[in-house]
Amino acid sequence: MFKDSKKKLSAPVTDTLLANGTSFEGTIEAEANIRIDGHFQGDICSTHAVVIGESAVVRSDIIARDVTLAGKVFGSITTEGRLTITPTGELYGKVAAAALVISEGGVLDGTSQMIRTKDAEPSAVSTDASDLETQSGTRKDRENRQATLQSETG
């Protein structure tokens, strides 16, 4: 009459919160959204979104799908999605992101690098000597044609 069910229930994605007035030092690895409103020092790695609230001060390297920055981060942020720096957000360090949005008033004091998505990546570049010769020959042909056109036009 009743079937013996051996199906495992998957746990819902829950958010992780480090509240204002809280300090934490260590490493956070999560498969959930993370929000930090307190002080944090260490590394953060999430397969979901990370939000750094207005009152947060974070000394960290952050790796996440998407990051929203409204507080202060000293370190690097790497995201395969979007980094959004709000008008109150300040980043002092490196950024590697597929998309970068900085609102008026937001601060990025460091370097940024665009990460190309897999769909936008060019085909692999060959280092085969014959391919390099062909590429070089094509470049020379193009330069010769441009020089000829310039000399003809005066």
Side-chain angles (χ1 to χ4, degrees):
M1 185 164 164
F2 294 102
K3 288 187 177 183
D4 184 19
S5 177
K6 293 186 180 181
K7 290 183 180 178
K8 292 184 179 180
L9 297 175
S10 62
V13 176
T14 56
D15 290 333
T16 303
L17 172 65
L18 184 64
N20 191 4
T22 304
S23 294
F24 184 81
E25 186 174 330
T27 300
I28 298 175
E29 292 182 17
E31 292 184 9
N33 296 319
I34 299 170
R35 180 176 177 101
I36 297 178
D37 287 317
H39 291 247
F40 178 81
Q41 183 169 342
D43 293 328
I44 299 171
C45 185
S46 175
T47 58
H48 288 73
V50 172
V51 176
I52 308 299
E54 287 186 30
S55 60
V57 177
V58 176
R59 296 179 187 286
S60 177
D61 291 333
I62 301 170
I63 299 172
R65 185 186 65 207
D66 294 301
V67 177
T68 301
L69 176 58
K72 292 182 182 178
V73 171
F74 300 88
S76 66
I77 296 177
T78 302
T79 174
E80 64 188 36
R82 176 185 312 234
L83 168 61
T84 303
I85 301 177
T86 69
T88 59
E90 299 177 26
L91 173 61
Y92 301 94
K94 298 179 184 179
V95 174
L100 175 61
V101 177
I102 304 174
S103 298
E104 185 175 348
V107 174
L108 170 57
D109 186 357
T111 62
S112 66
Q113 174 186 3
M114 294 299 292
I115 296 176
R116 301 186 108 187
T117 59
K118 291 179 183 175
D119 295 336
E121 284 185 17
S123 60
V125 176
S126 174
T127 56
D128 185 320
S130 62
D131 287 347
L132 291 175
E133 288 174 11
T134 303
Q135 292 171 3
S136 177
T138 305
R139 189 175 302 124
K140 287 180 185 175
D141 291 342
R142 191 176 323 122
E143 290 171 357
N144 288 340
R145 277 182 276 160
Q146 288 175 345
T148 303
L149 285 173
Q150 287 177 351
S151 66
E152 288 176 357
T153 57

